[in-house]
Amino acid sequence: MPFIVSQDIADEDFDSLFAIQYKAFSNQPAIKACYPGGLDEPARSENVARFINILGWKRSNVAAAKVVDDETGEICAFATMRVCEENPFLCAPDSDIHFPQVDKEIRSAVEWTFNTKNDRRRSFEALQVPGPYCHLQALGTDPARQRQGAATLLVKWAVRISDEKGSRAMVEASKDATKYGLYSKQGFRPIDTCNYVDEEKFPGFAGMYIVTMVRDAQDK
Ligand SMILES: CC(C)(COP(=O)(O)OP(=O)(O)OC[C@H]1O[C@@H](n2cnc3c(N)ncnc32)[C@H](O)[C@@H]1OP(=O)(O)O)[C@@H](O)C(=O)NCCC(=O)NCCS
């Protein structure tokens, strides 16, 4: 298989990385709507830059990796790993997090997932560690390149980083990833499930079922 994992992410890579995410999450509006361009449009450069900034994806505590087809140079998959020194959800008061880049139709639903004592927050509390931990995020494979081992390479990359740091790794796994055993095959275990968005509170907006999974660091 001609795949290579690379942490060498150039600024110009982000457009294609987001294009992959956009396609990969096309059936999950709660996530898709958070990406640059919102629900209906593909990512646009100016939004990508803003989004990266807001998420802090270029800060020193975030590692990113892409899977590249060694023969064509094409980027096929992408993931980020945020090293969190502390668990922000443990004992924290409701915070005041805003996402101006998110579609206005769903912005309140998305902000709700971070600002309220809700199921998602309970999932983070279930981590039961003050920190540090490594949060694997935004993992997606271009639909045209799925089932070829790209995501598995990224999960192994994340496991290697968290083992090197001696930190617990966590991921909010999608329904599909859980069904495929993407994380459990690399030693992650489920600790909680939640609906990303409360469909009763936000009618018409498809909720998203996620499984919070953790993997304790192992000796190298
Ligand atoms: C979930 C996802 C990342 C998997 O990516 P991928 O590159 O196809 O994954 P891999 O090729 O490494 O496959 C991992 C395992 O899942 C299995 N798998 C992948 N797609 C599958 C499918 N459609 N049906 C059944 N099994 C599948 C593979 O067979 C493989 O199992 P194996 O290790 O026993 O061979 C991809 O489907 C995706 O981007 N989905 C949408 C976004 C998403 O859910 N991201 C995860 C966020 S937590």
Side-chain angles (χ1 to χ4, degrees), residues 20-174:
I20 288 172
Q21 297 283 307
Y22 211 73
K23 282 187 270 178
F25 287 105
S26 61
N27 62 348
Q28 295 176 36
I31 291 202
K32 190 179 170 193
C34 299
Y35 282 103
L39 270 174
D40 301 320
E41 292 179 54
R44 293 189 305 265
S45 296
E46 67 274 20
N47 287 347
V48 169
R50 190 161 174 229
F51 191 72
I52 289 165
N53 203 23
I54 288 169
L55 285 179
W57 279 6
K58 284 191 167 179
R59 289 192 205 128
S60 57
N61 67 336
V62 181
K66 60 185 177 183
V67 172
V68 180
D69 183 322
D70 194 26
E71 283 162 10
T72 62
E74 174 201 5
I75 299 173
C76 304
F78 177 52
T80 64
M81 181 73 133
R82 184 183 296 268
V83 181
C84 302
E85 291 309 325
E86 56 183 328
N87 183 344
F89 290 86
L90 273 188
C91 308
D94 283 357
S95 50
D96 191 22
I97 300 173
H98 300 287
F99 290 95
Q101 83 280 14
V102 172
D103 263 22
K104 62 179 182 314
E105 288 78 28
I106 60 107
R107 193 180 302 149
S108 57
V110 171
E111 290 177 348
W112 175 85
T113 70
F114 289 93
N115 286 320
T116 327
K117 269 277 184 197
N118 56 42
D119 277 3
R120 182 164 190 245
R121 180 157 163 169
R122 191 199 61 221
S123 276
F124 276 86
E125 290 173 341
L127 270 175
Q128 290 183 335
V129 284
Y133 65 91
C134 292
H135 188 177
L136 178 58
Q137 283 179 305
L139 189 150
T141 302
D142 186 331
R145 304 305 298 261
Q146 288 178 4
R147 300 203 76 169
Q148 296 170 31
T152 300
L153 287 176
L154 289 169
V155 179
K156 286 182 174 169
W157 163 80
V159 160
R160 182 169 49 76
I161 292 182
S162 51
D163 278 354
E164 279 169 9
K165 294 189 180 303
S167 298
R168 177 176 271 198
M170 72 88 76
V171 66
E172 293 174 286
S174 65

